[in-house]
Amino acid sequence: MGVFTEVAERFYGINRSEAPVSPTINDLILATSKAVDLLEGKPFRSAMKVAVIAGSIATMMDLPTRERVSVVYAALLHDIGLAKITADVYPHLPTGLTEKKFFHEHALLNVRGSDEFSGELTRRLEQHPELAAKIIASLNLSEDVADLIAMHHELCDGSGYPYGLGASQIPIGAKILAFADVIEAVMSEVTIGLAPRREALNLFMETQAIGKFDETVMTCFKEVMGDNDEFLRRLSTLEVESMVSALLPQRPHPLSGQELLNVVRGLGHLSDSILPLYKSKRSLHIADIAIRLASSLGISKAQAGELSIAAMLMDLGHLGTPVGLLLKPGPLTAEERAIVQDHPVLTKEILKGIPGFDNIVLWCSEHHERMNGKGYPGNKKGYEISIGGRILALADVFDALTHRRPHRMHPMGPMEAIPVIGQGRMTVYDHRLFSQLRRIVTETETRVR
């Protein structure tokens, strides 16, 4: 059992007696949907729009509550599998095309067809619905949700993927999800004006959608839109959050300790999986180091548990960083550096508002701040940086030096990394924490020998 698992399970026990506020599955699923938006290079709440469209159609069709809720959950997470293929897709992209732009357009490419991309690129893309279904198992959702996600690119004329199913073989929930996914993509192509957006939707349904999507589903969507633009207007504002929340179970039980840990692990692995060669189990490694540092300082079990969660989640914002920048072996340009350095802000945006996560959000946002004020994103200095932020900063750099990276294929040993980090112990990193890290590493290496 790793240190992360041991300490976090002790704090986030089954009865959560030490945790005054607990997130629900809805809280974490909505946050995860934002992370998937980043992965696709889309604005936050794009997946929520798909969920509102799908849930509204399911409601109009009077589907049973269980089926309706499954459709909404599936819509929120339908493209989560793209994280698992990002590294595989990247080498096959045409020059000048990032995986973000490719992922952003993939739903429409499925409907419209394209000979622009190589067969290998298409083959990799077509794996993501099944990979998404496997991830769902770690997020405490039902098999119904996984099944819908696995079929969310199937089309009624049999031209979809990954199974090439025909209309009679596709469950109604998957038909709704496939249509809602593409409708949101069509809407996103029209950036200004509700009337042009409505015209684009109607044109799409009258031309390109015929035969590919269920006619009853399309008819219900037209009824949902109604005769005015109120539905489309609300989708275009922050009201979409309340709209999707109204479609979810209103009294979901708070997550148990084990359920919370399963979801957090899943989210941590999500950001790790975009670069498996360099980031395999990175979030877990950092959590273990952070917990050891926290324990050495006598930090309470409650904060140690929170710190372990922050360590697992702090790099979620990297889902919004183009892989080409993360893989670049040489120095980044000023513009590229600004993009990479935005990831703590994006992580904060993903996680903010989750009940009981105030400390976690703060610490995640500070893990690149430095004692001399030359870190980012807030240029905080000295003890303006919280103890959690200082611990994560040190754990992060230790992990980076002791594991392979694009710009350094041969990692340092733990004892080699200590003097390198030590050069900044008075200016970059908290010197007291550095002393504890040096002691922990020395004791660990001595035991191993």
Side-chain angles (χ1 to χ4, degrees), residues 344-408:
V345 177
L346 295 175
T347 300
K348 181 178 180 178
E349 179 63 28
I350 291 169
L351 299 177
K352 73 177 184 181
I354 297 178
F357 268 41
D358 291 350
N359 285 337
I360 292 167
V361 172
L362 173 64
W363 299 336
C364 286
S365 72
E366 292 181 334
H367 77 278
H368 280 291
E369 301 289 356
R370 298 294 180 252
M371 298 294 284
N372 57 10
K374 294 183 179 180
Y376 61 87
N379 301 119
K380 293 184 178 180
K381 188 174 183 178
Y383 294 102
E384 292 176 357
I385 308 168
S386 67
I387 183 63
R390 282 177 272 142
I391 288 173
L392 291 181
L394 192 58
D396 185 30
V397 72
F398 180 76
D399 175 81
L401 290 174
T402 55
H403 290 84
R404 186 162 50 173
R405 292 293 179 269
H407 58 281
R408 189 184 60 255

Side-chain angles (χ1 to χ4, degrees), residues 67-372:
E67 291 184 39
R68 189 167 66 246
V69 170
S70 293
V71 167
V72 176
Y73 279 137
L76 288 168
L77 301 175
H78 64 281
D79 276 335
I80 199 170
L82 292 174
K84 292 287 188 180
I85 67 166
T86 301
D88 294 332
V89 161
Y90 176 72
H92 303 285
L93 292 170
T95 302
L97 182 67
T98 67
E99 81 283 354
K100 303 293 180 199
K101 184 171 178 56
F102 180 57
F103 289 163
H104 190 285
E105 298 177 351
H106 79 278
L108 287 174
L109 290 174
N110 183 37
V111 174
R112 293 171 176 169
S114 174
D115 297 326
E116 180 182 354
F117 303 108
S118 70
E120 184 61 23
L121 186 59
T122 300
R123 188 183 74 79
R124 302 280 185 178
L125 178 67
E126 291 180 355
Q127 295 173 354
H128 84 270
E130 291 180 294
L131 292 172
K134 292 179 181 178
I135 295 173
I136 293 305
S138 70
L139 298 180
N140 201 45
L141 293 173
S142 71
E143 291 183 5
D144 296 345
V145 176
D147 289 343
L148 295 181
I149 290 177
M151 292 182 279
H152 82 274
H153 280 298
E154 299 292 344
L155 299 174
C156 289
D157 63 1
S159 65
Y161 62 82
Y163 310 115
L165 302 178
S168 63
Q169 299 169 298
I170 306 171
I172 188 60
K175 290 178 179 178
I176 292 172
L177 178 54
F179 178 72
D181 185 24
V182 175
I183 283 296
E184 190 279 328
V186 172
M187 288 175 56
S188 70
E189 289 188 312
V190 182
T191 57
I192 299 176
L194 295 177
R197 188 166 294 167
R198 174 184 286 274
E199 291 174 8
L201 291 173
N202 286 329
L203 179 62
F204 172 78
M205 287 187 283
E206 292 168 3
T207 57
Q208 299 174 61
I210 300 298
K212 294 184 180 294
F213 298 104
D214 186 272
E215 291 186 10
T216 302
V217 169
M218 289 196 287
T219 298
C220 285
F221 176 66
K222 291 176 182 177
E223 292 182 35
V224 167
M225 279 204 301
D227 296 328
N228 57 49
D229 293 325
E230 180 63 13
F231 179 77
L232 297 183
R233 184 198 65 76
R234 296 184 68 199
L235 276 184
S236 303
T237 69
L238 292 180
E239 284 188 63
V240 70
E241 291 198 22
S242 60
M243 294 171 77
V244 74
S245 294
L247 292 166
L248 293 170
Q250 296 305 295
R251 294 185 178 179
H253 295 292
L255 293 171
S256 71
Q258 190 58 57
E259 289 168 341
L260 178 62
L261 286 175
N262 287 344
V263 175
V264 167
R265 283 194 192 98
L267 283 172
H269 295 332
L270 186 65
S271 59
D272 291 347
S273 65
I274 58 174
L275 289 177
L277 179 61
Y278 302 114
K279 298 182 71 173
S280 178
K281 297 183 179 179
R282 169 175 162 77
S283 57
L284 194 56
H285 293 155
I286 295 174
D288 278 355
I289 299 165
I291 288 297
R292 290 178 190 273
L293 285 170
S295 299
S296 73
L297 297 176
I299 287 175
S300 70
K301 291 179 183 178
Q303 285 205 326
E306 290 178 304
L307 187 62
S308 69
I309 301 300
M312 292 291 289
L313 301 180
M314 68 183 194
D315 274 342
L316 272 179
H318 265 319
L319 291 170
T321 308
V323 167
L325 298 187
L326 296 176
L327 287 174
K328 188 173 180 178
L332 299 174
T333 66
E335 182 180 359
E336 290 170 338
R337 193 179 305 111
I339 294 172
V340 172
Q341 291 182 353
D342 201 31
H343 77 271
V345 177
L346 295 175
T347 300
K348 181 178 180 178
E349 179 63 28
I350 291 169
L351 299 177
K352 73 177 184 181
I354 297 178
F357 268 41
D358 291 350
N359 285 337
I360 292 167
V361 172
L362 173 64
W363 299 336
C364 286
S365 72
E366 292 181 334
H367 77 278
H368 280 291
E369 301 289 356
R370 298 294 180 252
M371 298 294 284
N372 57 10

Side-chain angles (χ1 to χ4, degrees), residues 7-26:
V7 174
E9 285 185 353
R10 192 183 308 143
F11 170 55
Y12 288 104
I14 297 303
N15 59 15
R16 299 297 310 282
S17 59
E18 295 183 68
V21 182
S22 298
T24 67
I25 189 63
N26 287 355

